[in-house]
Amino acid sequence: MINRYNKNRKLLKDNHVYSNDMEHDACGVGLVLDIKNRPSFDIVEKGLAMLCNLEHRGAVGADPKAGDGSGLLIQIPHKFLEKKVAESFSIPKPGDYGVGVIFIPNNTDDEKKIKSLIEKVCLKEQINILGWRLCPTYTKELGWSVLPSTPVVYQLFLEKPESEMSQDDFEKKLFILRRCIEKEVLEISDQIHEGFYIPSFSSRTILYKGMVLADQVGGLGEKLGFYEDLTDSDIESSFALIHQRFSTNTFPTWSLAQPFRMLCHNGEINTVRGNINWMNARHKNLASPSFSENDLNKIWPVIEEGQSDSASFDNALELLVRGGYSISEAMLIMIPEAWQNNDIMDKNLKSFYEYHAPIMEPWDGPANIAFTDGKQIGALLDRNGLRPARYLITEDDKVIFASEMGLIPVDESKVKSKWRLEPGKMLLIDMEAGKIITDDEVKANLSNELDYESILNNTQIVLEDLESDETQKVSLSEANLYSGQKAFGYTQEDLKTLMSPMAVTGQEAIGSMGTDTPISAISNKKKLLYTYFKQNFAQVTNPPIDPIREESVMSLVSFIGPRPVSYTHLRAHETPEHLGCRGVLVKKKGGGGGGGGGG
């Protein structure tokens, strides 16, 4: 069957009408969970109900049955899966097997090729396949524009290689295996790879998602959903992470539907191009006892081209977690709160953020993110707090979090507390301990693990603290000054409109957005090298942000100098004797509060 959707997408891309580098989204996010980690079908039903009630946050095109994507991330429902595969093969106890959810193009030849290749890769990586299960799907409710790209959905069951292997190590092994499979499929052909995707590959979580409407994921009332599994009362979970996508500046695809493997996101990562570039530049610096050099080569690149900002964030988060960070710590490193101008913040916490600032640049933009690794689950709002996020906790130890309140009925007499997620704050539930960990407790525990303040004092140089000789004055004649300005590309506009006000008032001039100046690449005048490069910015729902007037949440700090010798991102490799920036912190005092970029 010809995939008209992908064909049109390619046509637009080839003619420079569309670029997947500009993909952002503004969606509906939510989670419901049992704090005491008690799996039930009720949680799954509540998650599906919340998803249906977030329908207004999704997009629908000319085809009324075609949406931008919806999904549900839950715990692996052992009782349900054990029942479903009993006639074909048996599965061990929970934690001793993993499940990979795999989208395969709806083509018999491609299906055989991909399954055969996956089996070869598993054999090569010494992981035993327990069996395959064809996940039953109902396609009659899908729109005419969605059907051509609808994949066949398989569940692949894999046995833990060694009985004494920890579940975290098994998760890491599955992560490496998944990347090996993805890279091998890519080598077959681009066309096959276009319709191939692995939504989840874990021993803890399983994902049901697709390019379907909210009420098509698991059905609504008498209406059947795409995934027939979600109607079975034996499918139980103690949490459900849900997402309804509204993509702006992008095309919907089966792979970009959310949740992803560890998170779902409402907002835009404005810095995504720089974040991806920095991640790509780190290949040679990564090292850890958790990953051999061969393993790191297998998983690289961590972030593939052509993904959305949310998918790229998920890939980077997965690397940190598989490398030894807890998911809560990894989230704080990637999306730090405003710390630099916060004079009442605990010194240890401020040092924690300052230490990580040159190691991992912030993934910045308005963000409301719900996340889980199967052990911890929570939500985080970025430092600006420009996305809605509210939650409530009930007397029977249930937590409901979403982009808005009222998604499902709740008996108000049983509500213990309710509040909004504040800028830079985290809502975290430890599923293994069966308790809520407050934002203060999370940050206190992480910031007190090491003496970050001493590490910074021993490894950073603050330019403002250095003693300097008397400033040497340089005088230029008017002719020499003009020649120098001309050589370095200064214009009359720069001198009169920008530089003079800055010299007189100390403030940057404000002007309207947009310019009719030809871009350097097509200008008929000679331009300086730096004018060929422009900063990317979100073109959707974000108001302009001024780093001076909004200095409490913005940062103009720069770090220069070498990266740490052990610059790894992989926590297992860090020891106190080789921590630190070993660089120079430029303009530490004043101006900005969010955390610096990489230097």
Side-chain angles (χ1 to χ4, degrees):
M1 183 180 293
I2 297 175
N3 190 331
R4 287 174 293 178
Y5 166 76
N6 288 327
K7 186 177 181 181
N8 292 337
R9 187 171 186 241
K10 185 177 187 302
L11 180 65
L12 289 172
K13 188 171 182 179
D14 290 346
N15 287 279
H16 308 289
V17 177
Y18 158 76
S19 171
N20 51 25
D21 293 335
M22 293 303 297
E23 294 193 344
H24 303 287
D25 48 70
C27 325
V29 171
L31 66 86
V32 57
L33 64 98
D34 186 303
I35 299 172
K36 300 303 180 182
N37 200 14
R38 295 168 294 198
S40 68
F41 180 57
D42 179 61
I43 291 290
V44 177
E45 283 189 309
K46 281 184 167 61
L48 290 172
M50 289 173 63
L51 186 58
C52 291
N53 290 329
L54 277 173
E55 184 179 8
H56 59 282
R57 285 187 173 267
V60 178
D63 179 355
K65 292 187 176 182
D68 283 351
S70 302
L72 182 85
L73 179 67
I74 60 175
Q75 285 175 322
I76 287 182
H78 176 72
K79 181 171 70 172
F80 167 78
L81 294 175
E82 187 177 41
K83 176 182 71 175
K84 289 295 182 180
V85 303
E87 294 183 3
S88 304
F89 56 92
S90 60
I91 54 177
K93 65 180 182 180
D96 284 350
Y97 68 96
V99 181
V101 178
I102 303 173
F103 290 169
I104 297 179
N106 193 0
N107 178 293
T108 304
D109 291 336
D110 292 345
E111 185 178 325
K112 290 179 180 178
K113 287 180 183 177
I114 290 174
K115 290 180 68 176
S116 175
L117 183 145
I118 290 174
E119 290 170 359
K120 289 179 181 178
V121 175
C122 289
L123 181 63
K124 182 179 178 181
E125 294 297 315
Q126 300 180 331
I127 294 185
N128 182 42
I129 293 178
L130 296 170
W132 293 86
R133 175 181 179 245
L134 178 63
C135 186
T137 55
Y138 182 74
T139 60
K140 291 184 179 179
E141 288 294 325
L142 300 184
W144 57 264
S145 63
V146 177
L147 281 172
S149 62
T150 303
V152 178
V153 183
Y154 274 97
Q155 292 171 347
L156 172 65
F157 292 77
L158 301 160
E159 187 177 25
K160 188 167 71 173
E162 304 166 18
S163 58
E164 65 273 11
M165 176 184 284
S166 70
Q167 195 170 1
D168 285 342
D169 286 339
F170 186 33
E171 288 286 290
K172 181 185 67 179
K173 186 75 174 175
L174 292 173
F175 169 53
I176 296 170
L177 175 63
R178 193 196 83 232
R179 290 297 298 132
C180 291
I181 292 171
E182 290 169 339
K183 291 166 75 172
E184 288 288 337
V185 172
L186 180 60
E187 291 183 4
I188 299 177
S189 75
D190 290 339
Q191 185 175 358
I192 291 178
H193 188 262
E194 182 77 21
F196 169 83
Y197 181 69
I198 302 178
S200 64
F201 214 73
S202 172
S203 64
R204 291 191 173 103
T205 59
I206 189 168
L207 187 53
Y208 290 91
K209 74 169 185 177
M211 197 169 70
V212 297
L213 299 174
D215 60 2
Q216 291 175 338
V217 177
L220 179 63
E222 298 297 321
K223 181 181 177 181
L224 294 176
F226 180 72
Y227 289 105
E228 296 180 18
D229 286 3
L230 297 175
T231 62
D232 194 310
S233 60
D234 282 335
I235 192 162
E236 298 177 337
S237 174
S238 59
F239 69 82
L241 203 68
I242 58 106
H243 188 274
Q244 165 65 67
R245 190 166 188 242
F246 190 117
S247 54
T248 52
N249 295 345
T250 181
F251 282 94
T253 67
W254 284 84
S255 61
L256 293 182
Q258 296 189 41
F260 291 109
R261 299 176 189 102
M262 286 191 167
L263 61 84
C264 53
H265 169 221
N266 171 24
E268 299 91 31
I269 304 296
N270 300 342
T271 58
V272 65
R273 184 70 263 167
N275 294 129
I276 292 173
N277 289 341
W278 275 118
M279 290 301 296
N280 288 338
R282 288 172 180 144
H283 189 188
K284 298 301 180 182
N285 293 327
L286 291 176
S288 170
S290 298
F291 290 100
S292 68
E293 185 175 349
N294 186 39
D295 288 338
L296 290 172
N297 289 331
K298 289 176 182 177
I299 65 176
W300 209 262
V302 174
I303 302 174
E304 291 188 0
E305 288 293 329
Q307 297 190 120
S308 66
D309 50 358
S310 306
S312 300
F313 186 102
D314 181 74
N315 291 158
L317 177 66
E318 189 177 27
L319 175 67
L320 295 184
V321 174
R322 300 301 172 229
Y325 288 95
S326 68
I327 195 168
S328 53
E329 183 175 17
M331 288 295 300
L332 290 178
I333 292 171
M334 294 181 71
I335 306 183
E337 64 182 309
W339 55 270
Q340 188 147 3
N341 275 0
N342 190 341
D343 295 329
I344 63 173
M345 180 180 284
D346 178 79
K347 287 185 178 180
N348 291 335
L349 180 57
K350 185 176 283 193
S351 297
F352 168 85
Y353 285 127
E354 186 173 331
Y355 164 72
H356 286 101
I359 293 179
M360 168 65 87
E361 62 290 331
W363 290 64
D364 259 341
N368 167 13
I369 297 183
F371 58 86
T372 185
D373 62 352
K375 297 189 296 181
Q376 293 183 330
I377 184 169
L380 177 69
L381 202 61
D382 74 295
R383 71 186 73 162
N384 292 291
L386 298 178
R387 288 293 179 270
R390 303 191 69 86
Y391 66 91
L392 62 82
I393 303 167
T394 65
E395 295 287 352
D396 59 346
D397 294 315
K398 301 293 193 302
V399 175
I400 299 172
F401 166 87
S403 302
E404 58 202 65
M405 293 297 267
L407 290 181
I408 52 176
V410 177
D411 185 347
E412 289 293 329
S413 65
K414 294 183 179 180
V415 174
K416 183 162 46 176
S417 64
K418 61 171 67 174
W419 191 231
R420 64 182 176 87
L421 203 55
E422 299 174 77
K425 302 302 181 183
M426 177 183 289
L427 170 68
L428 184 69
I429 298 90
D430 189 319
M431 305 293 290
E432 294 182 331
K435 66 176 184 177
I436 295 176
I437 305 177
T438 65
D439 179 79
D440 290 339
E441 188 179 352
V442 172
K443 293 169 180 175
N445 291 339
L446 294 174
S447 61
N448 290 320
E449 283 186 352
L450 295 169
D451 189 352
Y452 287 105
E453 186 174 7
S454 295
I455 294 170
L456 293 173
N457 290 335
N458 293 330
T459 57
Q460 282 189 349
I461 301 169
V462 183
L463 291 186
E464 292 172 307
D465 293 344
L466 295 178
E467 295 183 4
S468 59
D469 297 331
E470 185 178 347
T471 303
Q472 184 177 2
K473 296 181 179 179
V474 178
S475 59
L476 293 173
S477 66
E478 188 172 337
N480 287 337
L481 178 61
Y482 177 75
S483 297
Q485 291 170 342
K486 188 175 180 180
F488 284 91
Y490 285 95
T491 65
Q492 290 294 321
E493 182 183 16
D494 293 333
L495 298 175
K496 292 181 179 179
T497 308
L498 298 178
M499 299 189 68
S500 294
M502 290 176 69
V504 174
T505 66
Q507 294 182 343
E508 187 174 355
I510 297 176
S512 62
M513 293 179 66
T515 174
D516 59 358
T517 307
I519 61 173
S520 299
I522 61 174
S523 175
N524 58 9
K525 297 183 180 297
K526 293 182 179 179
K527 301 282 186 175
L528 295 176
L529 179 63
Y530 71 82
T531 66
Y532 286 82
F533 303 93
K534 299 292 182 182
Q535 175 78 30
N536 283 338
F537 72 100
Q539 298 181 3
V540 282
T541 57
N542 303 333
I545 293 180
D546 187 317
I548 295 175
R549 293 162 183 81
E550 301 187 49
E551 63 179 0
S552 64
V553 294
M554 295 296 293
S555 174
L556 298 178
V557 170
S558 297
F559 294 85
I560 60 176
R563 295 284 186 178
V565 173
S566 64
Y567 182 63
T568 66
H569 282 296
L570 306 178
R571 188 163 187 74
H573 189 63
E574 293 181 358
T575 55
E577 61 267 20
H578 61 237
L579 290 169
C581 172
R582 290 182 174 81
V584 179
L585 176 62
V586 181
K587 195 183 178 187
K588 175 180 177 182
K589 301 173 183 176

